[in-house]
């Protein structure tokens, strides 16, 4: 990966990207894709009653508006900015992969942008004209149409993004036939969509249920009616979400056994695979329980239970997002690029010449007896730092090696033996790309973690060139 | 890395560092072809960036003007209402600003991939701070807008909420400007140490001033239109204010914002590193500037017009300003390509050479090794062992797992037990567990088991 490498040596890079991405996914599913149709549905309920029961109609309208208000505030701030944040953080943490993805998916992203602009404009229209467009049936009808369009475009936005996510897990035939369409029609696309759509709808319904419980506290008769129709929504979509999750769950291995046989064997995946069934069952079960409760006993439905089940489904989503993270390991782009940013085809060259020689943003080019430690640190930055910290809080090399070799001084032989074969020992790690000299330097650095650990700076602290022998241009000769 | 001393000394030191001649880095590009022709990316970049900036200008300028009106409102309550009115526009402008920024971001990511990402990484912490900072600013803006009437009694708190988001809005552009500046100068990459030091690149602050003026000029003009609409019941809403006066004041903001650009513009031009200046850049910028003179002329006439004549020149002013901005934006892109293009050629060359080496190394590696010492390995199981187990096991000594000689003792005469373990390892000893070796075929497991047991003799 020929980029200056941003590195957070305490919390780790993956933690940063995970926080931003999961937050965005949850907001997008629950508050945009899932909640907009619910709000529109509530508005339509009021619209239908406008002529006959204006008072009740106004109640529906008010409820719909208050739920929309909540969604509007969150989606146009945290939602929108975490969306940008995914780009920013991915570009910092794995620039090689996002840059390659952009080249494959430029068309999709460009269309996505168009859809996104439409979605934002509709959102603004829908929210800001609510009070203006309610004096007559005709105006209200127009307003309801904005809501329907908005719901549709929110879903399209998600449908496009899912293809890119699916591609990252499984490149389909793209690797042999590099075109955009192959990326798009990869085998995991439909199962993912079949899972995410009802999941989003269920989450949207749950949020609406939760907010209705809060907003209608002082109007018990209306509360009962409102809860009933929202819980019906949840009860319709919930089983589809469960079904989608199962479908997706069964499709993953079928599609991945072809590509990543060993992924199935890694401890991490196995534990994920066993947990997910339990979590899906509990989450969906709770949701259905709550929806039934709200339907049959609207008066006694507890708000906190709604809150808990929303958190649980959000957790479920986070869990599924994690799947993408490690199921594609050791690759960031299946079979094409490893998570350390090197392409599979780079390996023979790098193993022969070493990674330092071809890295333009590291200060150490040649390993000598004096600079082994500095060189080893650079090798760590280039080959391990996308997934490990040196001695930080998350997935640190120091703790991993302590686990394996204990606390007595580590020896070079076993360290080298392990790293050389780490891909076969732990399939989710890419093979070590460097040559023997670099391996030696890396072990010197790793041993230093045992007796004199120092935080490893990333590119954001400077590249450290000035300290190298000065005035020798590194420019291409 | 820094000499001991005050913050100021540190800054000066950084500044000197930046000016020193440093090794120029030539990086490799992403070896996949551009997805669309380059001209298309440039058109998207320039045009959509201007649209993005327009909304950013409205957003930043609008919040500054709201703040000003609200402060005036402390004395004259109608100004507070006016501030409320301006605040309404920000909600729309800020959402549009974000979403219109995506297209140019996509274009710059595609076209100048390695340059842009490099600048991002080198200022990484501050770059990613943009996300939480802007989120907070937006949330505060909403709090300010939707709590307006509830905070009527507590103006100090209310105004500080707005002031905080204005402060954030004034800071964030510096991060962007630093990045787009840094990306153009590969000769500075090796000496930059984070955001603060990149901030001292000579061109950042003049451009920042340029930007702030543009914000004021643009939002002044927007509001002149907004309050001038015939559907806008100004007199009804603000009985104590004169529509004409307010619009005149806003025009004045636009006028001064634009006049000052004539001073700041040349400074921006002079502080630009000369390597990108060419007649094409100067030609475009100067044409833009001379068109701006017309806009200024009409603005002047508006400022001095009779109330009855007022507003007549507005369309002309808006259109000329738009054209000026288009020229300035194109000039900026021309400058960028003047600076980067020679370097991009080097990068393309380096990338091509590298790809060639990659292919050579691949063919070399694919060649079957010359018939070497064939004696070393005599059982197929040993190959399996060397490919899959050596990370954790050695023959004679404990590594992560026990020595294979020990295992051979344990499973003496019990090959099925050994196969069973490899397939589905248990947990016996202290330390880590052994991962199941499910990726091996039955044949391979059998071979490696046979080889392990052969160690017994």
């Amino acid at each position: 990966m020929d980029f200056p490498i941003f590195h957070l040596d305490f919390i780790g890079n993956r933690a940063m990207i995970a926080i931003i991405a999961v937050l965005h996914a949850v907001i997008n599913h629950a508050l945009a894709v899932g909640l907009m149709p619910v709000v529109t549905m509530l508005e339509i309920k009021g619209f239908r009653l406008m002529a006959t029961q204006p008072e009740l109609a106004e109640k529906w309208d008010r409820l719909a508006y208050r739920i929309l208000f909540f969604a509007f505030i969150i989606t146009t701030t945290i939602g929108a900015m975490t969306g940008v944040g995914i780009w920013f953080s991915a570009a910092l943490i794995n620039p090689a992969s996002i840059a390659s993805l952009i080249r494959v998916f430029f068309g999709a992203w460009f269309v996505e942008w168009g859809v996104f602009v439409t979605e934002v404009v509709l959102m603004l229209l829908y929210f800001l004209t609510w009070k203006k467009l309610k004096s007559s049936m005709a105006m209200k009808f127009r307003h309801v149409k904005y809501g329907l369009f908005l719901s549709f475009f929110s879903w399209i936005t998600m449908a496009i993004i899912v293809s890119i996510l699916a591609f990252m897990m499984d490149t389909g035939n793209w690797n042999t036939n590099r075109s955009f369409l192959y990326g798009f029609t990869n085998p995991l696309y439909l199962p993912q969509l079949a899972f995410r759509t009802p999941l989003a709808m269920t989450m949207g319904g749950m949020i609406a249920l939760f907010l209705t419980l809060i907003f209608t506290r002082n109007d018990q008769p209306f509360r009962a009616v409102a809860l009933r129709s929202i819980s019906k929504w949840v009860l319709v979509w919930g089983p589809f979400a469960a079904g989608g999750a199962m479908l997706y769950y069964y499709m993953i291995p079928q599609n991945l056994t072809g590509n990543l046989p060993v992924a199935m064997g890694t401890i991490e995946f196995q534990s994920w695979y066993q947990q997910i069934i339990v979590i899906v069952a509990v989450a969906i079960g709770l949701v259905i329980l709550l929806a039934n409760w709200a339907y049959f006993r609207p008066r006694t439905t507890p708000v906190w239970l709604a809150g808990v089940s929303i958190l649980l489904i959000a957790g479920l989503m986070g869990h599924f997002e994690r799947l993408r993270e490690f199921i594609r390991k050791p690759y960031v782009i299946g079979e094409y690029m490893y998570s350390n940013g090197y392409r599979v085809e780079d390996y023979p060259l790098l193993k022969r010449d070493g990674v330092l020689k071809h890295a333009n943003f590291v200060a150490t080019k040649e390993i000598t007896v004096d600079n082994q430690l500095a060189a080893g640190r650079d090798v760590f930055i280039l080959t391990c730092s996308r997934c490990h910290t040196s001695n930080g809080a998350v997935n640190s090399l120091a703790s991993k090696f302590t686990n394996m070799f204990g606390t007595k001084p580590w020896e070079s032989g076993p360290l080298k033996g392990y790293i050389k074969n780490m891909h076969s020992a732990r399939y989710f790690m890419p093979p070590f790309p460097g040559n023997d000299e670099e391996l030696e330097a890396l072990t010197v650095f790793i041993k230093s973690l045992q007796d004199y650990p120092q935080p490893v700076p990333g590119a954001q602290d400077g590249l450290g060139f000035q300290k190298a022998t000065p005035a020798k241009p590194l420019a291409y000769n | 890395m820094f000499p001991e001393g005050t913050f100021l000394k540190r800054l000066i030191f950084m500044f000197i560092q930046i000016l020193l001649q440093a090794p120029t880095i030539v990086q490799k590009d992403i070896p996949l072809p551009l997805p669309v022709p380059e001209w298309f990316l440039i058109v998207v970049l320039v045009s959509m960036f201007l649209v993005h900036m327009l909304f950013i200008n409205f957003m930043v300028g609008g919040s500054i003007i709201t703040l000003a009106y609200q402060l005036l409102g402390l004395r004259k309550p109608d100004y507070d209402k006016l501030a409320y009115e301006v605040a309404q526009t920000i909600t729309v402008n800020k959402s549009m600003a974000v979403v219109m920024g995506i297209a140019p971001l996509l274009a710059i990511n595609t076209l100048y991939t390695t340059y842009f990402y490099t600048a991002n990484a080198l200022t990484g912490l501050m770059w990613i701070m943009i996300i939480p900072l802007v989120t907070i600013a937006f949330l505060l803006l909403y709090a300010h807008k939707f709590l307006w009437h509830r905070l009527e009694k507590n103006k100090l708190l209310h105004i500080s909420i707005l002031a905080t988001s204005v402060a954030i809005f004034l800071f964030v552009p510096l991060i962007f400007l630093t990045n787009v500046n840094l990306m153009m100068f590969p000769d500075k990459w090796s000496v930059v140490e984070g955001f603060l030091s990149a901030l001292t690149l000579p061109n950042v602050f003049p451009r920042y001033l340029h930007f702030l003026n543009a914000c004021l000029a643009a939002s002044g003009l927007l509001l002149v239109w907004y309050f001038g609409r015939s559907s806008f019941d100004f007199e009804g809403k603000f009985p104590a204010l004169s529509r004409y006066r307010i619009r005149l004041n806003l025009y004045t903001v636009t006028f001064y914002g634009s006049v000052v650009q004539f001073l700041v513009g040349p400074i921006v031009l002079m502080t630009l590193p000369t390597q990108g200046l060419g007649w094409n850049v100067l030609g475009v910028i100067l044409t833009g500037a001379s068109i701006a003179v017309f806009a200024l002329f009409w603005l002047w006439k508006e400022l001095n017009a009779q109330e009855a004549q007022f507003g007549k020149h507005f369309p002309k002013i808006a259109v000329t300003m738009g054209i000026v901005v288009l020229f300035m934006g194109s000039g900026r892109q021309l400058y960028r390509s003047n600076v980067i293009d020679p370097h991009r050629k080097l990068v393309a060359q380096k990338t091509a050479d590298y790809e060639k080496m990659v292919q050579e190394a691949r063919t070399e590696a694919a060649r079957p090794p010359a018939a070497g010492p064939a004696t070393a390995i005599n059982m197929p199981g040993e190959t399996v062992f060397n490919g899959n187990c050596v990370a954790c096991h050695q023959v004679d000594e404990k590594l992560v797992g026990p020595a294979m000689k020990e295992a051979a003792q344990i499973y003496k005469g019990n090959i099925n037990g050994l196969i069973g373990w490899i397939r589905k390892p248990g947990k016996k000893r202290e330390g880590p567990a052994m991962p199941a070796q499910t990726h091996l075929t039955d044949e391979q497991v059998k071979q490696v088991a046979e080889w392990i047991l052969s160690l017994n003799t």
Side-chain angles (χ1 to χ4, degrees):
Chain A
M1 182 161 77
D2 202 18
F3 289 93
I5 295 184
F6 175 86
H7 178 61
L8 297 174
D9 206 43
F10 184 71
I11 65 160
N13 305 300
R14 291 188 307 164
M16 180 175 99
I17 214 167
I19 293 169
I20 297 179
V22 170
L23 204 58
H24 182 73
V26 169
I27 291 177
N28 173 272
H29 283 58
L31 295 177
V33 181
L35 195 54
M36 287 309 115
V38 180
V39 170
T40 316
M41 177 186 86
L42 298 178
E43 192 192 7
I44 292 176
K45 292 227 176 251
F47 173 61
R48 287 227 187 116
L49 297 172
M50 254 173 108
T52 49
Q53 286 168 277
E55 239 168 64
L56 188 57
E58 179 55 30
K59 280 184 184 171
W60 283 109
D61 201 68
R62 210 176 128 62
L63 177 64
Y65 180 75
R66 290 179 79 180
I67 296 176
L68 178 64
F69 181 82
F70 176 80
F72 181 82
I73 299 285
I74 304 288
T75 50
T76 58
T77 53
I78 309 178
M81 289 313 295
T82 45
V84 182
I86 292 181
W87 281 68
F88 276 34
S89 53
L92 281 181
I93 286 162
N94 210 324
S97 110
I98 190 84
S100 309
L101 286 173
I102 284 179
R103 298 209 171 188
V104 182
F105 280 108
F106 184 85
W109 260 315
F110 201 70
V111 173
E112 172 85 348
W113 170 68
V115 176
F116 198 49
V117 173
T118 320
E119 191 190 332
V120 169
V121 170
L122 282 169
M123 181 71 164
L124 289 168
L125 258 183
Y126 191 51
F127 177 68
L128 295 174
T129 61
W130 191 290
K131 293 197 166 148
K132 277 190 207 128
L133 293 182
K134 75 190 268 197
S135 48
S136 74
M137 293 280 282
M139 279 180 165
K140 194 72 197 167
F141 184 62
R142 195 163 105 216
H143 191 257
V144 165
K145 272 196 286 189
Y146 294 157
L148 292 174
F149 280 125
L150 174 58
S151 309
F152 177 69
F153 276 98
S154 308
W155 183 79
I156 294 282
T157 313
M158 182 184 77
I160 297 176
I161 278 295
V162 165
S163 84
I164 296 168
L165 296 183
F167 174 83
M168 284 160 74
M169 283 164 67
D170 179 348
T171 41
N173 287 324
W174 178 79
N175 223 342
T176 42
N177 191 336
R178 285 190 185 162
S179 84
F180 163 69
L181 265 188
Y182 271 111
F184 218 84
T185 54
N186 76 77
L188 276 177
Y189 178 61
L190 286 179
Q192 272 220 55
L193 200 60
F195 165 55
R196 281 176 194 267
T197 305
L199 180 71
M201 298 301 165
T202 313
M203 288 177 82
M206 290 300 292
I207 300 270
L209 207 64
F210 176 71
L211 292 175
T212 306
L213 281 170
I214 295 175
F215 292 152
T216 58
R217 224 173 284 195
N218 301 324
D219 187 352
Q220 289 296 338
F222 177 64
R223 180 195 184 97
V225 192
L227 285 184
R228 267 196 179 198
S229 61
I230 299 174
S231 47
K232 242 189 274 172
W233 172 276
V234 175
L235 285 174
V236 168
W237 285 106
F240 284 105
M246 289 302 138
L247 176 72
Y248 187 36
Y249 175 82
Y250 288 113
M251 292 299 281
I252 296 163
Q254 275 181 24
N255 282 288
L256 292 176
T257 34
N259 284 0
L260 310 172
V262 198
M264 304 300 300
T266 64
I267 293 174
E268 232 191 323
F269 181 75
Q270 275 169 348
S271 72
W272 178 86
Y273 208 64
Q274 282 151 12
Q275 281 165 20
I276 197 74
I277 281 289
V278 180
I279 299 187
V280 168
V282 173
I284 302 275
L286 198 61
V287 165
I288 290 179
L289 170 85
L290 190 85
N292 273 303
W293 193 334
Y295 190 87
F296 292 110
R297 294 265 180 286
R299 269 164 219 282
T300 57
T301 320
V303 185
W304 64 266
L305 191 62
V308 168
S309 19
I310 289 170
L311 288 182
L312 227 121
I313 325 186
L316 171 71
M317 263 197 70
H319 214 62
F320 261 101
E321 303 297 333
R322 226 184 100 211
L323 162 80
R324 280 193 291 120
E325 265 300 304
F326 65 73
I327 207 137
R328 57 173 214 260
K329 274 184 195 144
Y331 301 105
V332 257
I333 302 178
E335 313 266 293
Y336 174 71
M337 183 182 282
Y338 287 117
S339 334
N340 53 19
Y342 290 110
R343 292 175 305 168
V344 177
E345 56 194 280
D346 290 331
Y347 264 67
L349 179 69
L350 298 177
K351 280 196 167 316
R352 190 189 74 194
D353 296 356
V355 286
L356 295 177
K357 184 172 170 203
H358 296 287
N360 294 300
F361 290 95
V362 295
T364 331
K365 291 280 169 183
E366 301 271 329
I367 302 182
T368 61
V369 249
D370 309 324
N371 72 2
Q372 261 190 331
L373 185 60
R377 199 175 65 175
D378 282 341
V379 173
F380 161 78
I381 276 284
L382 289 170
T383 62
C384 318
S385 73
R386 298 307 80 203
C387 310
H388 291 286
T389 61
S390 68
N391 196 27
V394 178
N395 213 9
S396 77
L397 280 192
S399 70
K400 293 287 150 195
F401 281 113
T402 308
N403 233 352
M404 275 168 41
F405 297 123
T407 46
K408 52 185 193 322
W410 303 327
E411 288 164 41
S412 294
L415 282 176
K416 280 199 269 187
Y418 183 82
I419 296 170
K420 232 179 168 152
N421 296 287
M422 64 185 199
H423 177 57
S424 53
R426 295 287 191 197
Y427 178 80
F428 46 79
M429 287 200 265
F432 176 69
N435 62 16
D436 287 345
E437 266 181 300
E438 292 174 340
L439 188 56
E440 181 76 45
L442 179 60
T443 55
V444 171
F445 166 73
I446 291 174
K447 282 196 280 184
S448 82
L449 298 177
Q450 214 177 8
D451 36 58
Y452 188 46
Q454 278 178 298
V456 176
Q460 71 272 26
D461 305 308
L463 297 172
F465 272 75
Q466 311 96 305
K467 289 190 290 180
T469 31
K472 190 172 145 227
L474 290 160
Y476 185 69
N477 44 31
Chain B
M1 218 153 289
F2 298 115
E4 291 292 314
T6 59
F7 181 72
L8 190 68
K9 258 197 208 155
R10 230 176 90 165
L11 265 186
I12 294 171
F13 177 74
M14 281 179 186
F15 192 68
I16 295 170
Q17 285 270 309
I18 294 273
L19 291 179
L20 288 179
Q21 191 54 42
T24 299
I25 294 176
V26 177
Q27 76 280 27
K28 299 186 295 264
D29 201 356
I30 297 293
L32 295 169
L34 278 185
V36 281
E38 189 167 328
W39 63 260
F40 179 78
L41 291 171
I42 293 180
V43 170
V44 172
L45 180 57
V46 173
S47 61
M48 287 303 124
F49 182 71
L50 289 180
V51 177
H52 168 62
M53 278 325 279
L54 194 67
F55 284 110
I56 291 281
N57 286 342
F58 289 162
M59 172 184 95
V60 176
S63 5
I64 296 174
I65 292 177
T66 309
L67 184 60
Y69 278 156
Q70 231 192 336
L71 290 172
L72 288 175
L74 291 176
R75 294 239 187 90
K76 202 170 174 188
D78 262 15
Y79 273 110
D80 197 68
K81 285 196 230 152
L82 199 60
Y84 185 69
E85 204 57 47
V86 180
Q88 305 304 311
T89 63
I90 307 175
T91 312
V92 174
N93 289 332
K94 72 153 233 309
S95 289
M96 293 309 291
V98 174
V99 70
M100 296 314 288
I102 295 175
L105 183 67
L106 183 61
I108 205 170
N109 275 349
T110 318
L111 188 55
Y112 297 121
T113 315
T114 51
Y115 296 87
F116 193 59
Y117 289 174
T118 296
N120 295 173
L122 292 175
T123 59
L125 285 181
M126 206 44 101
W127 179 247
I128 197 70
M129 281 308 286
I130 290 176
I131 303 299
L133 279 177
V134 176
T135 310
I136 291 170
F138 283 180
L139 284 169
L140 289 175
L141 273 183
Y142 279 147
H144 178 255
K145 175 177 160 183
F146 291 112
L147 297 178
W148 201 294
H149 301 302
R150 251 188 248 179
L151 290 179
E152 207 68 74
K153 291 268 151 347
N154 196 345
K155 277 290 167 204
L156 183 64
L157 176 64
H158 191 222
I159 293 178
S160 350
I161 293 176
L162 178 61
T164 314
S165 54
V166 168
I168 295 176
F169 282 160
L170 289 180
F171 176 65
V172 168
L174 274 177
I175 310 178
F176 278 104
L177 280 172
T178 305
N179 264 268
V180 289
N181 238 300
L182 183 58
M183 71 175 266
M184 289 193 291
F185 304 114
D187 51 331
K188 303 293 182 222
W189 293 345
S190 58
V191 287
V192 162
E193 292 185 335
F195 171 72
L196 264 189
S197 86
L199 192 61
T200 56
L201 284 173
N203 193 231
V204 176
F205 281 99
R207 276 173 84 166
Y208 180 64
L209 279 182
H210 209 53
F211 163 80
L212 286 188
N213 279 313
C215 287
L216 289 175
S219 12
L221 208 58
L222 175 77
L223 292 173
V224 169
W225 166 79
Y226 189 82
F227 289 135
R229 292 171 306 154
S230 50
S231 61
F232 189 82
D233 177 20
F234 196 97
E235 291 71 19
K237 284 189 177 172
F238 318 108
L241 299 175
S242 136
R243 189 198 290 246
Y244 167 67
R245 281 267 140 224
I246 295 294
R247 291 180 76 205
L248 196 66
N249 289 345
L250 289 165
Y251 255 145
T252 316
V253 170
T254 305
F255 184 74
Y256 281 107
S258 316
V259 169
V260 176
Q261 296 297 51
F262 276 89
L263 301 175
V264 179
I267 302 181
V268 172
L269 218 62
M270 278 183 314
T271 50
L272 279 175
T274 43
Q275 68 232 59
L277 282 181
W279 287 114
N280 55 355
V281 177
L282 279 182
V284 170
I285 300 257
L286 292 180
T287 314
S290 32
I291 298 175
V293 174
F294 288 94
L296 276 186
F297 172 70
W298 284 314
L299 269 170
W300 180 251
K301 289 193 97 170
E302 287 282 67
L303 290 182
N304 293 298
Q306 299 294 324
E307 193 169 343
Q309 300 285 310
F310 185 75
K312 176 173 91 173
H313 297 294
F314 182 85
K316 276 180 282 183
I317 297 173
V319 170
T320 18
M321 287 286 200
I323 297 175
V324 172
V325 169
L326 201 61
F327 269 93
M328 296 300 170
S330 314
R332 169 198 162 102
Q333 172 62 28
L334 279 176
Y335 177 82
R336 174 151 56 206
S337 44
N338 281 355
V339 181
I340 306 191
D341 281 356
H343 189 265
R344 282 173 83 204
K345 287 216 182 75
L346 295 180
V347 167
Q349 183 61 44
K350 192 169 211 165
T351 312
D353 290 351
Y354 176 76
E355 288 305 301
K356 223 169 91 203
M357 285 192 277
V358 164
Q359 294 315 326
E360 277 165 16
R362 279 179 73 185
T363 24
E364 195 181 297
R367 221 173 288 142
T375 46
I377 290 173
N378 40 27
M379 282 182 79
E382 189 169 354
T383 323
V384 178
F385 179 79
N386 285 332
N388 299 283
C389 322
V390 281
C392 306
H393 293 291
Q394 286 178 328
V395 174
D396 304 299
E397 267 176 71
K398 175 180 180 307
L399 195 54
V400 182
M404 282 298 105
K405 288 228 164 113
E406 184 191 328
Q409 283 295 323
I410 299 176
Y411 291 102
K412 201 168 185 175
N414 176 12
I415 187 162
N416 285 335
L418 182 52
I419 290 176
W421 170 275
I422 298 170
R423 275 276 178 244
K424 206 164 187 280
K427 182 95 187 80
K428 285 189 184 171
R429 301 168 180 80
E430 287 278 301
M434 170 170 154
Q437 304 291 309
T438 38
H439 56 293
L440 299 179
T441 61
D442 288 342
E443 183 62 23
Q444 283 174 313
V445 175
K446 191 161 154 268
Q447 286 168 348
V448 77
E450 277 166 0
W451 174 77
I452 292 173
L453 293 182
S454 77
L455 298 172
N456 271 330
T457 50

